[in-house]
Amino acid sequence: MRLLLSVALLTSALLVQPLAAAPDDDVLRWVDPMIGTGPEGHTFPGASAPFGMVQLSPDTDATCQIRDCYAHAAGYSYHDSTIQGFSHTHFSGAGHSDLGDLLVMPAIGPASAVKLDPGSADRPGSGYRQRFSHGTEVASAGYYAVTLADSGVRAELTAGTRVGIHRYAFPKGTDAHLVIDLRSSLYDYPGKILWSGLHVHEDGTITGFRETRGWAPGRKLFFAMRFSAPLKDHAFIDRDEHVPYKGFRAPQALPGRSADGVAEKLGKALEARLDFGSLDGPLEVRVALSGVDEQGAIANLDAEGADFDTVRRRTEGQWREALARLSMDAPPKMRTSLYTALYHSLLAPSVWSDTDGRYRGPDDQVHIARDFTFRSTFSLWDTFRAEHPLLTLVQPERTTSDIVNSLVASREHSPWGILPVWQFAGRETWTMIGYHAAPVIADAYLKGLGGFDAARALDAMVASADYAPYGGLAEYIQRGYVPIDKEPEAASKTVEYAYDDWTIARMAQAMGRKDQAARFAKRAGYWRNSFDAKSGWLRARKSDGTFRTPFDPTAINYGSDYTEGNAWQYSWFVPQDQAGLFRMLGGDGKVIARLDAMFDFDNSKLDYSHAENISGLIGQYIHGNEPSHHVAYLYAHAGAPWRTQERLKQIVDSQYKPTPDGLSGNDDLGQMSAWLVFTGLGFYPVTPGSNQYVIGRPFVRHAAITLPRGKTFTIETDNFSDANPYVGKVELNGRPLDRAWISDAEIRGGGTLRFVMQARPDKAWGSGRGLRPFSMSAH
């Protein structure tokens, strides 16, 4: 066996030559998709195009039961030693999961010996699962490769927007097979696969579908597959192990059945063995997806499918163009972390419409996107904070307008008539809280980014904010707060609704809708109704007006007063009115002391092991989850920017590194990564919708954002070194900048932001009241 494997590895190396390594000046060499694949980041290492519908990646466990799957939310965990197969859909950094659709795995030997069960990770050889070594893995933007140790097959993956291309080099003289598994699914449980189908067309194309009742119930996915070698034989089986959902009516025929093909198998737990015999060269497998039907998948394959190297070159070119919108120079480790963060920020929201514009919406009906590309995968509770503001700078044209148009279209097709909350594959999951599509839309509009109907967009925002059945909104509208005895997580919901309302007011005011602006500006102040001025904490309030007791500001329990956090984190969430909050807390000095107490808190007597997503702790600051992400910048709001500079270095040094465990928490569809990109540049959008960024400190020597109409915004850092962690002086276009913020218009206008760093803090710079960042009460 050892001789066979060594020969196989040599054969693979001879047959499959990688494309030329990226030269030193190629931005792709700084992207490492392995970052975050460790225990907390939940990223995947496989191949995807920018915002691609297909995320073709290895799954080290795609059959774990839902309660035990947290480490495998992206399918792949760096600490595993076996690969179950390569599937075509994944989330990047989500704290929950689904997907893992259409799993493919190569196999060798007699057809009768090919196992159609994945087997167990602790019993190699018990199924089609195979061992691997990280030493054989290669991962880069748009490409992944690994050698499967038990068969000697060298597997390579690449992807286009709607296609995934596999290339398998089998040991010479062996029979080549593929296992297709439609049973496996990330976050699996009995009955999750409602129905699936496979059929073979006369030209050798295989098409199929499956429907699942997972995180997004009733999700449908269709696919088409073609091969570079003729299919010699096949076997389709139905392992009817899963119990169908009660009341589900099985389809009578395969959706999208083609006149040139014959339905081969219809069932609930389908698998296939595809036989290719002995091959003279690598086998390429070309796969396209569609959310509409099998004809859509075939059309996507016709439009985008090509040979492996062509698709890889095309996708790498797309990545070069996308990543080059932001050029950065920093020490090698930081440069790798920053470019990989930018890469992760450009994976979602993913394309969901077919090449002809058709897509399946929240109503499970097929619609057509005209003049835009429909996108889905909206983790809005996470991404409204920094991910979407980053896209307005590095993808300000088509991507931003596509996002807004997709959000508005989703609302118009929604059975509930509201904007997405947490949507993927066009389906609503109702995960997390708020109506955070509102700040995404308002931020784009207020920055002057067009390509969408602003009136329709504002109507959608208002409809969402007034949808009484959602999350205690009826009580919030009536009382001015969400009562905890009527609705869980009431304290968090009150302040998040108030912020969303403020963004609606801002957009309505800019559009001249004065009545709506006044109504939502009033609601933006409702945060005060859940703030206990006596104790200085945001607290859950009951219907009778009293605050709920007992109260522990360190307690974190799901479904309690707060959403994935506690009073320490959520008492700072008033991004629209930090000045009002600071006055309630007793002024700048007490605010700074409270911030210091948060970062310096001794957690040694606390146990948060019961709470997923609570990671990356620095005292009670939790960088591994989003409610803390703006907090270090609040020192600047309190007149102490130098303390922001100190805390940013503490966070960056402890929470990010260019290794598989280099993210302290879920990347959450790019939010953790976008935080690092902004912070690396030296500023951060504490309040999306304000058109301001709070200045922190840079972690780059030089950076340049390429903007539309030939403009460039450049960041220069003098005296850049670890010995100089503080900002001594800031210049904008050659003139001193004394304020601790910069406007979006100043960035989009082009120019140069120059930092002069020094060893000791300058406690005067940016500390004056007129120099502080935005606050509703101060403007």
Side-chain angles (χ1 to χ4, degrees):
M1 185 63 177
R2 290 181 180 176
L3 176 61
L4 172 63
L5 291 183
S6 63
V7 171
L9 290 173
L10 177 60
T11 303
S12 298
L14 292 174
L15 286 174
V16 184
Q17 295 294 328
L19 297 182
D24 289 348
D25 60 351
D26 188 343
V27 67
L28 296 191
R29 76 182 295 263
W30 298 106
V31 174
D32 182 2
M34 284 293 177
I35 294 176
T37 60
E40 298 293 347
H42 294 178
T43 61
F44 62 83
S48 178
F51 309 107
M53 180 189 291
V54 174
Q55 308 87 30
L56 180 52
S57 189
D59 294 328
T60 55
D61 195 341
T63 51
C64 59
Q65 293 296 300
I66 189 167
R67 295 183 182 276
D68 304 315
C69 286
Y70 186 68
H72 297 89
Y76 178 100
S77 179
Y78 188 82
H79 300 293
D80 290 342
S81 59
T82 64
I83 288 175
Q84 184 173 330
F86 307 101
S87 67
H88 293 75
T89 57
H90 298 85
F91 295 124
S92 180
H96 189 54
S97 198
D98 201 340
L99 305 179
D101 297 294
L102 185 57
L103 186 137
V104 177
M105 191 61 163
I108 61 171
S112 60
V114 175
K115 299 180 176 69
L116 292 180
D117 186 273
S120 173
D122 56 7
R123 290 188 296 114
S126 60
Y128 61 70
R129 179 193 301 272
Q130 298 189 48
R131 290 170 289 189
F132 76 106
S133 166
H134 292 305
T136 70
E137 285 185 295
V138 177
S140 60
Y143 177 80
Y144 173 86
V146 67
T147 297
L148 301 170
D150 292 306
S151 65
V153 173
R154 182 65 174 173
E156 296 179 282
L157 312 175
T158 192
T161 300
R162 298 172 180 85
V163 298
I165 314 296
H166 312 235
R167 183 161 65 187
Y168 299 114
F170 292 86
K172 191 172 183 178
T174 64
D175 284 345
H177 311 275
L178 294 179
V179 173
I180 310 297
D181 192 343
L182 295 179
R183 294 186 308 155
S184 62
S185 180
L186 302 181
Y187 276 49
D188 201 12
Y189 52 84
K192 182 175 180 179
I193 310 303
L194 289 172
W195 211 254
S196 57
L198 287 163
H199 78 277
V200 179
H201 296 250
E202 291 180 354
D203 66 355
T205 300
I206 291 180
T207 61
F209 76 99
R210 78 171 181 179
E211 182 174 358
T212 60
R213 62 181 186 100
W215 188 15
R219 181 176 63 91
K220 299 177 177 67
L221 189 74
F222 304 84
F223 62 88
M225 309 176 71
R226 291 182 183 138
F227 312 96
S228 61
L231 182 64
K232 294 193 172 181
D233 199 359
H234 66 277
F236 292 170
I237 67 166
D238 180 7
R239 292 184 182 275
D240 192 3
E241 298 171 354
H242 293 171
V243 179
Y245 181 59
K246 185 177 181 180
F248 178 77
R249 179 176 293 179
Q252 299 303 304
L254 287 171
R257 181 170 177 170
S258 171
D260 69 343
V262 177
E264 288 283 339
K265 198 73 176 178
L266 186 67
K268 287 181 285 294
L270 293 186
E271 292 177 303
R273 188 199 72 239
L274 308 181
D275 306 326
F276 296 91
S278 181
L279 300 173
D280 294 329
L283 174 69
E284 292 193 4
V285 185
R286 301 163 192 175
V287 182
L289 302 183
S290 169
V292 176
D293 53 30
E294 292 180 27
Q295 278 70 42
I298 292 172
N300 291 341
L301 190 57
D302 288 340
E304 299 184 9
D307 66 89
F308 188 96
D309 287 337
T310 297
V311 173
R312 180 181 175 186
R313 276 192 292 266
R314 185 167 63 205
T315 296
E316 287 181 342
Q318 292 171 353
W319 276 117
R320 286 188 182 92
E321 191 278 332
L323 295 167
R325 296 283 188 96
L326 177 54
S327 66
M328 294 178 282
D329 179 36
K333 289 185 178 180
M334 178 56 66
R335 197 173 181 185
T336 297
S337 290
L338 285 168
Y339 269 116
T340 304
L342 181 59
Y343 163 81
H344 281 143
S345 299
L346 301 177
L347 290 171
S350 54
V351 168
W352 182 236
S353 54
D354 289 348
T355 54
D356 61 3
R358 294 186 304 156
Y359 64 93
R360 190 173 295 275
D363 55 357
D364 198 31
Q365 300 302 304
V366 176
H367 306 277
I368 298 179
R370 303 187 189 279
D371 302 322
F372 74 98
T373 299
F374 186 86
R375 298 176 188 247
S376 194
T377 318
F378 290 110
S379 180
L380 291 162
W381 182 82
D382 307 288
T383 56
F384 83 87
R385 305 163 198 266
E387 160 73 5
H388 284 285
L390 179 63
L391 294 180
T392 69
L393 288 176
V394 300
Q395 292 281 318
E397 308 101 334
R398 187 60 186 262
T399 296
T400 299
S401 64
D402 280 350
I403 288 169
V404 176
N405 281 314
S406 299
L407 292 170
V408 174
S410 291
R411 180 256 165 170
E412 293 172 350
H413 303 320
S414 166
W416 310 277
I418 67 172
L419 290 162
V421 177
W422 209 125
Q423 182 201 87
F424 73 94
R427 305 291 279 168
E428 183 57 68
T429 70
W430 301 107
T431 302
M432 308 310 293
I433 67 173
Y435 30 97
H436 294 312
V440 171
I441 296 170
D443 192 50
Y445 176 80
L446 293 166
K447 288 173 177 175
L449 303 179
F452 57 91
D453 186 327
R456 286 173 57 208
L458 182 60
D459 288 345
M461 295 158 69
V462 171
S464 297
D466 285 342
Y467 185 64
Y470 172 67
L473 263 179
E475 297 283 343
Y476 170 83
I477 293 168
Q478 176 186 349
R479 301 173 184 273
Y481 67 93
V482 180
I484 190 63
D485 49 335
K486 302 282 188 179
E487 183 74 18
E489 303 176 359
S492 296
K493 288 175 181 177
T494 297
V495 293
E496 294 201 25
Y497 293 164
Y499 165 70
D500 290 344
D501 288 341
W502 174 80
T503 66
I504 297 172
R506 287 268 293 169
M507 185 166 167
Q509 183 68 35
M511 293 176 61
R513 294 190 180 182
K514 295 182 179 180
D515 290 347
Q516 287 180 335
R519 181 162 72 96
F520 283 98
K522 179 181 178 181
R523 284 170 54 163
Y526 284 177
W527 67 269
R528 298 170 182 271
N529 297 333
S530 281
F531 200 91
D532 180 10
K534 291 183 179 179
S535 67
W537 298 107
L538 175 76
R539 295 180 59 183
R541 199 169 178 176
K542 297 192 294 184
S543 298
D544 63 7
T546 62
F547 291 106
R548 180 153 82 166
T549 57
F551 171 69
D552 177 0
T554 68
I556 298 177
N557 293 294
Y558 284 105
S560 62
D561 299 358
Y562 308 94
T563 302
E564 293 189 3
N566 61 26
W568 272 104
Q569 295 96 50
Y570 261 101
S571 293
W572 298 112
F573 191 80
V574 193
Q576 75 276 21
D577 194 9
Q578 297 296 163
L581 173 64
F582 290 4
R583 283 195 298 271
M584 194 173 284
L585 289 173
D588 293 344
K590 290 187 177 180
V591 165
I592 293 169
R594 170 74 74 90
L595 288 167
D596 284 343
M598 180 182 193
F599 280 95
D600 297 336
F601 191 93
D602 181 3
N603 291 321
S604 60
K605 296 182 180 180
L606 299 176
D607 180 12
Y608 290 146
S609 60
H610 64 286
E612 290 179 357
N613 297 320
I614 306 304
S615 58
L617 276 73
I618 304 175
Q620 279 295 306
Y621 176 88
I622 303 179
H623 193 72
N625 209 16
E626 279 66 26
S628 287
H629 275 191
H630 69 298
V631 173
Y633 287 91
L634 297 186
Y635 287 102
H637 284 262
W642 63 278
R643 295 291 284 146
T644 286
Q645 296 155 28
E646 286 183 343
R647 293 302 186 188
L648 293 178
K649 181 166 175 53
Q650 182 182 12
I651 295 167
V652 170
D653 286 352
S654 63
Q655 307 297 306
Y656 295 92
K657 53 187 177 180
T659 58
D661 60 347
L663 292 176
S664 63
N666 302 326
D667 198 43
D668 283 318
L669 282 300
Q671 170 57 28
M672 282 278 288
S673 289
W675 186 97
L676 181 63
V677 174
F678 270 122
T679 297
L681 296 177
F683 49 87
Y684 185 81
V686 167
T687 311
S690 68
N691 283 0
Q692 285 189 3
Y693 305 87
V694 179
I695 292 177
R697 53 142 297 181
F699 289 82
V700 295
R701 296 188 188 95
H702 169 89
I705 305 171
T706 300
L707 298 162
R709 295 182 291 277
K711 295 182 179 181
T712 302
F713 186 76
T714 302
I715 296 95
E716 299 283 358
T717 309
D718 293 352
N719 303 332
F720 179 87
S721 77
D722 283 341
N724 296 314
Y726 295 100
V727 173
K729 182 170 64 173
V730 181
E731 293 179 351
L732 179 61
N733 298 329
R735 296 182 179 182
L737 185 69
D738 294 327
R739 50 181 158 88
W741 57 272
I742 186 171
S743 74
D744 184 75
E746 287 168 331
I747 292 176
R748 290 184 197 280
T752 300
L753 183 68
R754 179 171 170 262
F755 292 88
V756 179
M757 307 301 290
Q758 59 189 38
R760 297 182 179 276
D762 181 343
K763 298 183 180 181
W765 181 83
S767 61
R769 290 197 178 275
L771 307 175
R772 299 186 190 179
F774 175 86
S775 175
M776 184 171 74
S777 293
H779 295 266

